[in-house]
Structure formats: C-alpha cells, structure tokens
C-alpha cells in the first residue's frame, strides 16, 4: 500500500473525532507529506526519507515559498507518525519511520506577542460593542470560537467563574456551527478576576441579547459579522490618542489569548494551573509559552544590565568612567 492510500484511510478515521478546522489542518499536513512520499510503499519508507522531506520543507514551504516554521514541521512530523502508527495498528507495517525524527534547530519560530501595557489600557478605555468580548479573551483566555457562542448563562458572577462548554466553528461557509466541547477538551471552568466580573455585570445589565458578544441584531456572529466588528474595533482603537505609538493595528484575537497567558506567567501562576485555565490539550504547549516568556524576561534583565553599565560605568568610547 502506498503512503497516500494509508494516509487517506487514516484521515477517514479522524473525520468524526476532530473539529472541522483540525480536520482541514490534517489534510494540509498530509498534502505536504504526499508531495514527497505519496507513491512510496509504506513498508519501504525509511527514517532517512522522513528526514529528507523535513529538510526540504525547512528550506522552502511550497505553499509560501519561504522556510517552513518550526511548528509546521512539528505538525507534519506528528501527522506522519500518526499515519504510520495506524499502519502498525492494522498490521500493515511493523515500524514507524517518522518516530523521533529531528527538527532543524534553524527552522524559524513564530511567536505571537502579548499586548503591551499601553495597548491593554487602550482596550480597557475605548468604548465599542466588541470591547466586552475583547476583555473576556484578554482576561479569561477564551479563544474566538469559545467567545462567540458564550451566553450570560455560562457566567456565574457570584462565584467569579466562566463555564466554557461549547465552541463555534466554520465548515467552509459564513455560518458558524456550535458544538459541545472546545478545541481540545469537553470544556473547562475559568476563574475570572474581580475587575472583569464588574465589567461583565455592567454589560449584562444593559444587554438585549443572550450572547455576551453578539452581532448588531443580538444574534450569534457569523464569520463575516465577526470580521466586520473586529475591523471596526481596530479602526476605533487606532484613532485613540497614543495609539500611533503602538502596533495595535496588527492585533488578532489570538494576541489577546497570548496576553492572558503572559498575565498568568507574570502573576506567578504555575504552569499546570495555567495549562488548565488555557484549556491546552498538552502541558507541553503551555511549557513552550512559559519557556519563551522566561527567555524574554532574562533578555530584558540583561538589557537593564547593559543600560546600567553604559550610563554608570562606561563612557561612550567604552572607557571606564572615573
């Protein structure tokens, strides 16, 4: 059996077990694999073949004509490994040639940044119909797909908790469909800060919709209505005095979630608790974020040392001040 045939069989087993978006991503990763090993007999594929395709993608992603990011390479390798494990399960092959293959250390890493303090203050201070939803994403870590179907019944203001038990996803159309559970689990409960609860209480008192962040007519968003609202919101933020000194126009919904992760880190929340609050399927995801933030903090500490040495000990020529 060729790799392409085995991958197609495996993909069928995933169709009703993952979200439509995850399924679409899996098809994308398999397309990458099929470019290199589609016609090869799965029993003849060797670790060196997997290394070769990963190296080729490291040099250039055919879709973007730029080097593939480290995360893309990890996802392609993981998908290949899962296909081969399926081949082992159905007794077609006896080994997994993708298991443990190394990703180049030179593959570019793409990190979403957290919002600066200035940007966070702009979001808190700028009135807009998107503001409440943005605050929930920034201060409770909800994904866009978790926020869109969120109703006031999901929020317990007395207990300071939000129950995240459903999510909205597109299936290739403008309409969003609500499913039980979230991207990575059957749901989670998030403790919210008092300041967010007070904002929610004020918004609930004047809301005419059952949704926390609805479209103009009070109904749940479609893809198009969300995009129109988001574009309007970013435009409003850019007009606020002080916004010209920021990169607020590049903000996406996931920047807000990354800001929440950063706030958890800065507040000293341990990685296990943070992983549960963020709803990560694997604690390694949270660990990678915390490690990145830790590296950034160390770099800023060294910058402070540089500033001190330059201003206090050394002259501009590098000589020690008397």
């Amino acid at each position: 059996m060729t790799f392409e045939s085995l991958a197609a069989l495996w993909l069928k087993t995933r169709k009703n077990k993952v979200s439509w978006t995850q399924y679409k991503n899996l098809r994308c990763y398999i397309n990458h694999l099929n470019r290199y090993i589609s016609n090869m007999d799965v029993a003849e594929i060797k670790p060196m073949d997997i290394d070769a395709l990963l190296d080729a993608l490291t040099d250039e992603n055919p879709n973007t004509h730029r080097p593939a990011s480290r995360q893309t390479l990890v996802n392609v390798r993981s998908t290949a490994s899962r296909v081969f494990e399926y081949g082992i399960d159905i007794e077609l092959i006896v080994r997994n040639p993708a298991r443990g293959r190394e990703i180049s250390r030179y593959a570019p890493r793409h990190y979403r940044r957290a919002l600066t303090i200035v940007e966070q203050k702009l979001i808190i201070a700028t009135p807009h119909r998107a503001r409440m939803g943005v605050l929930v994403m920034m201060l409770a870590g909800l994904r866009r797909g978790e926020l869109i179907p969120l109703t006031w019944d999901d929020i317990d203001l007395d207990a300071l908790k939000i129950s995240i038990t459903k999510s909205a996803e597109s299936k290739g159309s403008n309409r969003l469909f609500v499913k039980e559970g979230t991207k990575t689990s059957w749901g989670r409960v998030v403790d919210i800060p008092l300041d967010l609860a007070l904002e929610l209480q004020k918004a609930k008192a004047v809301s005419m919709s059952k949704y926390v962040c609805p479209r103009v007519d009070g109904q749940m968003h479609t893809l198009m209505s969300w995009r129109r609202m988001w574009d309007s919101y970013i435009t409003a933020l850019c007009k606020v005095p002080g916004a010209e000194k920021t990169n607020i126009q590049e903000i996406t919904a996931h920047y807000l979630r990354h800001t929440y992760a950063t706030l958890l880190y800065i507040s000293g929340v341990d990685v296990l608790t943070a992983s549960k609050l963020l709803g990560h399927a694997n604690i390694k995801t949270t660990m990678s974020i915390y490690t990145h933030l830790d590296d950034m903090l160390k770099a800023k500490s060294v910058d402070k040392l540089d500033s001190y040495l330059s201003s206090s000990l050394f002259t501009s020529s590098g000589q020690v001040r008397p």
Side-chain angles (χ1 to χ4, degrees):
M1 182 181 289
T2 64
F3 177 84
E4 185 175 19
S5 298
L6 179 62
L9 284 176
W10 174 77
L11 198 56
K12 285 182 180 179
T13 70
R14 308 311 303 159
K15 190 166 187 178
N16 295 321
K17 297 182 178 68
V18 298
S19 70
W20 186 86
T21 301
Q22 289 173 300
Y23 184 76
K24 183 176 68 172
N25 289 339
L26 290 175
R27 285 191 305 183
C28 177
Y29 304 142
I30 287 175
N31 286 340
H32 278 307
L33 293 164
N34 281 337
R35 284 193 182 96
Y36 303 96
I37 58 175
S38 61
N39 295 320
M40 295 181 67
D41 187 323
V42 289
E44 300 298 323
I45 297 175
K46 297 178 172 55
M48 63 186 298
D49 297 315
I50 306 301
D51 288 338
L53 73 85
L54 291 174
D55 286 342
L57 282 171
T58 301
D59 292 334
E60 182 183 355
N61 180 336
N63 293 337
T64 63
H65 302 293
R66 296 193 300 269
S69 69
R70 179 176 178 80
Q71 190 58 54
T72 295
L73 294 170
V74 168
N75 291 337
V76 169
R77 180 187 62 185
S78 173
T79 302
S81 184
R82 293 169 71 183
V83 171
F84 288 120
E85 288 296 329
Y86 176 70
I88 293 172
D89 289 342
I90 63 175
E91 300 182 350
L92 183 67
I93 54 178
V94 296
R95 59 186 177 81
N96 181 346
R99 185 184 298 154
R101 304 325 299 160
E102 187 177 3
I103 302 296
S104 171
R105 69 180 66 181
Y106 302 109
R109 295 174 182 264
H110 296 161
Y111 290 106
R112 293 182 178 91
R113 69 174 180 86
L115 304 190
T116 65
I117 294 296
V118 172
E119 290 168 337
Q120 292 175 44
K121 288 182 177 180
L122 284 173
I123 282 173
I124 292 171
T126 304
H128 192 276
R129 64 188 180 90
R131 176 178 175 272
M132 196 65 256
V134 170
L135 287 178
V136 170
M137 287 190 286
M138 185 174 76
L139 300 178
L142 274 69
R143 302 176 177 92
R144 184 193 69 171
E146 296 167 347
L147 170 70
I148 287 175
L150 187 72
T151 67
W152 294 110
D153 289 340
D154 297 320
I155 302 175
D156 187 337
L157 291 173
D158 293 327
L160 301 180
K161 295 181 184 296
I162 295 179
S163 297
I164 307 165
T165 59
K166 53 189 178 294
S167 58
E169 65 176 11
S170 166
K171 295 186 178 180
S173 66
N174 181 45
R175 182 184 175 190
L176 293 172
F177 298 85
V178 178
K179 66 167 189 174
E180 294 299 316
T182 67
K183 179 181 177 181
T184 55
S185 69
W186 289 111
R188 66 188 187 279
V189 176
V190 176
D191 295 299
I192 59 175
L194 179 59
D195 287 329
L196 176 58
L198 293 174
E199 291 287 347
L200 285 165
Q201 187 176 48
K202 288 187 289 185
K204 183 180 181 180
V206 297
S207 177
M208 302 296 289
S209 172
K210 70 176 184 178
Y211 296 104
V212 175
C213 185
R215 64 190 193 193
V216 175
D217 63 3
Q219 299 302 307
M220 192 183 82
H221 276 289
T222 63
L223 276 181
M224 188 61 68
S225 68
W226 174 271
R227 287 170 185 160
R228 284 198 298 263
M229 181 190 73
W230 188 263
D231 290 343
S232 169
Y233 181 59
I234 296 300
T235 300
L237 288 175
C238 289
K239 292 179 180 178
V240 178
E244 68 278 0
K245 299 178 181 179
T246 73
N247 291 320
I248 208 158
Q249 68 277 1
E250 72 180 19
I251 293 173
T252 67
H254 212 86
Y255 277 46
L256 300 167
R257 182 168 156 82
H258 192 72
T259 301
Y260 177 66
T262 303
L263 292 172
L264 292 176
Y265 172 82
I266 293 172
S267 302
V269 175
D270 66 273
V271 68
L272 183 59
T273 302
S275 184
K276 292 178 180 178
L277 291 171
L278 287 160
H280 286 155
N282 193 321
I283 195 172
K284 290 181 180 179
T285 304
T286 321
M287 282 292 296
S288 67
I289 295 173
Y290 265 44
T291 300
H292 174 59
L293 293 171
D294 197 47
D295 290 342
M296 287 179 60
L297 188 63
K298 289 175 181 176
K300 287 183 178 180
S301 296
V302 173
D303 287 342
K304 291 179 181 178
L305 174 61
D306 284 339
S307 297
Y308 171 74
L309 293 176
S310 297
S311 62
S312 303
L313 297 181
F314 289 89
T315 65
S316 58
S317 62
Q319 297 178 338
V320 177
R321 291 183 186 278

